[in-house]
Amino acid sequence: MDFHLKESIGQKVVNFCVNKKKQQTEQTKKKIADSARSLFAQKGYKATSIEDIVKATGCSAGNIYYHFKNKEGLFLYLLEDWNREWDKTWLAKEKLYATTTEKLYGMAEYLALDQLSHPLTKAADEFFNNSEKAPEVEERINEMVKGYIDFNRQLLQRGIDHDEFEIANVTGLAIILDGLMLGLNQHSRRMDREEALAAYRLAMDVFLLGIAKRTR
Amino acid sequence: MDFHLKESIGQKVVNFCVNKKKQQTEQTKKKIADSARSLFAQKGYKATSIEDIVKATGCSAGNIYYHFKNKEGLFLYLLEDWNREWDKTWLAKEKLYATTTEKLYGMAEYLALDQLSHPLTKAADEFFNNSEKAPEVEERINEMVKGYIDFNRQLLQRGIDHDEFEIANVTGLAIILDGLMLGLNQHSRRMDREEALAAYRLAMDVFLLGIAKRTR
DNA sequence: TACAATACTGAACATATATTCAGTATTATA
DNA sequence: TATAATACTGAATATATGTTCAGTATTGTA
């Protein structure tokens, strides 16, 4: 209405206007991400087409490619988003456990439930194992795997420092722990909630007994 | 040369002729299976096209469909062939080990090496996790998984009978053992021979300590 | 030799599906 | 208000690829 107002407030108005575009972008990006996540979870990576996402979001194919580099990029975004979410949730949850042993049981429980409510894991497996990916994507995946291993390694190291476990090869066991969770995840798809929880707990029982301090 | 000879020998000649066709079929089927196995192992399931197999074998697309129902059927054939091979090899190997503990270490070692030399596992994972499969195929896969679990269950049960382990939930542990091997398999793809062997051995160390009889 | 069954060919079919791009609409800037 | 930047459209592109089928060649049968 009054253009002098615009100038008098200056930067603030500009920021507001810029934000309106940023806001729109964020909103659209989120809408695409949410639909895509749900579809990937239901149908898997390959089986979910851009067309599917177009139908689910109501926005055009071109718009998806405006916000994401390509299908791979969209999926990577979801994976990284998921990792961020995990870090956040875990950081809050971790404090509730006193010992590393308790933390590991807590992690197992969370994984059991997260995987059931969050079947993106299935699509992730498909994506990780699919051999037709760009080198940069391969690299990004390697980093993610390294991150998971490192997470376990640090957890186990703290357990050693607190005299809970007796471990010589920490990295090796970090890999084994990840492998155990990874393998169980596949089996948990054929289980209901209670079975999955029991399986993860049992796995952790065995793992912990396997690395427990021995009484000589 | 002499048509009377044909008649005088009778059934034998007939069989010989029938065999010539059967022989041809077997030979072609094997050629296709071998090429396909190698391609699936290199490129993965989805990434290997019928066209690829056509080029590798030198026979036509139609011929592949003459011998196998479709691409899924061809892959299932390879999986079942692999299972048969495993059963045979294991049956021979198993006798060399006295205790179940030794058998489990033997199994781990074999899996570590087999998976390296036999990267069909990667394609198998892709295939198992792919959600676009016919119901009958799904069923066949479920049976295979059941078979793997049952194999472990029997192995563990024998260990219990011989007082080697202390296990309450045999089936649960059979699943965990399979999951452990499955998860390790994924990681072993990023390892060389020695690393993989060490990882599998360490995993079995932990697993066995985790289910060992306790001294009270 | 005539007929039947089996083994095989390869082009055509059907279709799915990631990606681009010329153009339009909306919003920011001066 | 004019220009630039950003957000978006949707049809066209490009192409890959599983599967079929009419027809041919080889082998078995009587």
Side-chain angles (χ1 to χ4, degrees):
Chain A
M1 300 191 175
D2 185 357
F3 280 96
H4 294 291
L5 177 68
K6 215 179 181 179
E7 282 175 24
S8 70
I9 305 186
Q11 200 56 35
K12 243 185 186 167
V13 173
V14 170
N15 281 347
F16 178 77
C17 291
V18 168
N19 280 349
K20 202 170 176 183
K21 281 227 150 172
K22 265 191 187 168
Q23 211 177 293
Q24 180 64 268
T25 279
E26 272 171 36
Q27 190 184 311
T28 307
K29 219 171 164 182
K30 189 180 184 314
K31 189 169 66 178
I32 295 170
D34 287 343
S35 292
R37 179 169 29 239
S38 163
L39 284 165
F40 282 135
Q42 280 179 251
K43 313 179 56 174
Y45 176 73
K46 201 111 189 184
T48 298
S49 65
I50 301 296
E51 176 69 17
D52 289 334
I53 302 170
V54 166
K55 276 180 195 153
T57 55
C59 70
S60 68
N63 202 13
I64 294 170
Y65 281 85
Y66 179 76
H67 289 287
F68 299 93
K69 195 189 165 197
N70 50 26
K71 197 183 171 187
E72 271 185 341
L74 170 55
F75 195 77
L76 271 180
Y77 175 86
L78 293 177
L79 285 185
E80 278 165 4
D81 199 54
W82 184 21
N83 282 345
R84 277 190 293 273
E85 198 59 38
W86 161 271
D87 283 345
K88 216 178 78 184
T89 311
W90 178 250
L91 208 66
K93 246 180 174 280
E94 196 185 15
K95 291 171 192 161
L96 304 175
Y97 307 113
T99 64
T100 302
T101 300
E102 283 174 31
K103 282 181 189 176
L104 284 172
Y105 276 114
M107 187 178 89
E109 187 184 54
Y110 184 66
L111 281 174
L113 299 178
D114 185 57
Q115 247 113 50
L116 286 175
S117 61
H118 221 306
L120 196 62
T121 43
K122 197 176 167 178
D125 275 359
E126 187 195 338
F127 188 74
F128 277 46
N129 286 325
N130 170 30
S131 45
E132 309 165 274
K133 31 184 160 32
E136 32 157 338
V137 176
E138 191 97 37
E139 189 45 44
R140 192 69 204 84
I141 289 178
N142 281 336
E143 275 170 39
M144 281 191 197
V145 173
K146 244 185 225 162
Y148 301 146
I149 304 296
D150 220 55
F151 177 88
N152 287 347
R153 208 180 44 67
Q154 283 174 29
L155 209 55
L156 291 175
Q157 187 59 54
R158 247 170 289 148
I160 296 170
D161 295 343
H162 288 66
D163 264 347
E164 293 181 57
F165 317 131
E166 191 172 87
I167 300 180
N169 181 353
V170 192
T171 304
L173 275 165
I175 292 174
I176 283 165
L177 178 56
D178 190 71
L180 185 56
M181 296 296 108
L182 205 62
L184 224 48
N185 166 34
Q186 304 224 10
H187 280 296
S188 76
R189 287 175 208 149
R190 295 160 201 277
M191 303 178 189
D192 62 33
R193 183 195 154 90
E194 285 311 315
E195 280 176 309
L197 260 174
Y200 274 84
R201 274 201 212 101
L202 182 58
M204 207 48 92
D205 287 339
V206 174
F207 183 77
L208 285 169
L209 274 175
I211 64 172
K213 291 204 87 171
R214 309 285 149 206
T215 49
R216 337 223 158 172
Chain B
M1 301 188 175
D2 186 356
F3 282 96
H4 294 290
L5 177 68
K6 218 180 183 180
E7 284 175 24
S8 69
I9 303 187
Q11 200 56 33
K12 243 184 185 168
V13 174
V14 170
N15 282 348
F16 177 77
C17 290
V18 168
N19 280 348
K20 200 170 179 185
K21 282 225 149 174
K22 268 191 185 166
Q23 209 177 295
Q24 181 63 269
T25 279
E26 271 171 38
Q27 188 184 312
T28 307
K29 220 171 165 182
K30 189 178 185 317
K31 189 170 64 180
I32 294 170
D34 287 343
S35 291
R37 180 168 29 239
S38 162
L39 284 165
F40 282 134
Q42 280 179 250
K43 312 182 58 173
Y45 176 72
K46 200 112 186 182
T48 298
S49 65
I50 301 296
E51 176 68 17
D52 288 335
I53 302 171
V54 165
K55 275 180 194 152
T57 55
C59 70
S60 68
N63 202 13
I64 294 171
Y65 281 84
Y66 179 77
H67 290 288
F68 299 93
K69 195 190 166 197
N70 49 25
K71 198 183 170 185
E72 271 184 342
L74 171 54
F75 194 77
L76 272 179
Y77 175 86
L78 292 177
L79 285 185
E80 280 166 3
D81 199 54
W82 184 21
N83 282 345
R84 277 190 292 273
E85 197 59 38
W86 161 270
D87 283 345
K88 216 178 80 187
T89 312
W90 178 251
L91 207 68
K93 249 182 172 284
E94 195 185 14
K95 291 173 192 160
L96 304 177
Y97 307 113
T99 64
T100 302
T101 300
E102 282 175 31
K103 282 180 188 176
L104 284 170
Y105 276 115
M107 188 179 87
E109 185 183 57
Y110 185 65
L111 281 173
L113 300 178
D114 184 56
Q115 247 114 48
L116 287 175
S117 61
H118 222 304
L120 195 63
T121 43
K122 195 175 168 180
D125 274 359
E126 187 194 338
F127 188 74
F128 277 47
N129 287 325
N130 170 32
S131 46
E132 313 164 274
K133 33 185 156 32
E136 31 156 340
V137 175
E138 192 96 36
E139 189 46 45
R140 194 67 204 88
I141 289 179
N142 281 335
E143 274 171 40
M144 279 191 198
V145 173
K146 243 184 228 162
Y148 300 147
I149 303 296
D150 220 56
F151 177 88
N152 287 347
R153 207 180 45 65
Q154 284 176 29
L155 208 55
L156 291 174
Q157 187 58 55
R158 246 169 289 147
I160 296 170
D161 295 343
H162 288 66
D163 265 346
E164 292 181 57
F165 318 131
E166 192 172 85
I167 300 181
N169 183 352
V170 191
T171 305
L173 276 165
I175 291 174
I176 284 165
L177 179 56
D178 189 72
L180 185 57
M181 296 295 106
L182 205 61
L184 223 50
N185 167 34
Q186 303 224 12
H187 280 296
S188 75
R189 287 174 207 149
R190 295 160 202 277
M191 303 177 190
D192 62 32
R193 181 194 157 91
E194 285 310 316
E195 279 177 309
L197 261 173
Y200 273 84
R201 274 201 211 101
L202 183 57
M204 208 47 93
D205 286 340
V206 174
F207 183 78
L208 286 170
L209 274 174
I211 63 173
K213 291 204 89 172
R214 309 285 151 206
T215 48
R216 333 218 161 177

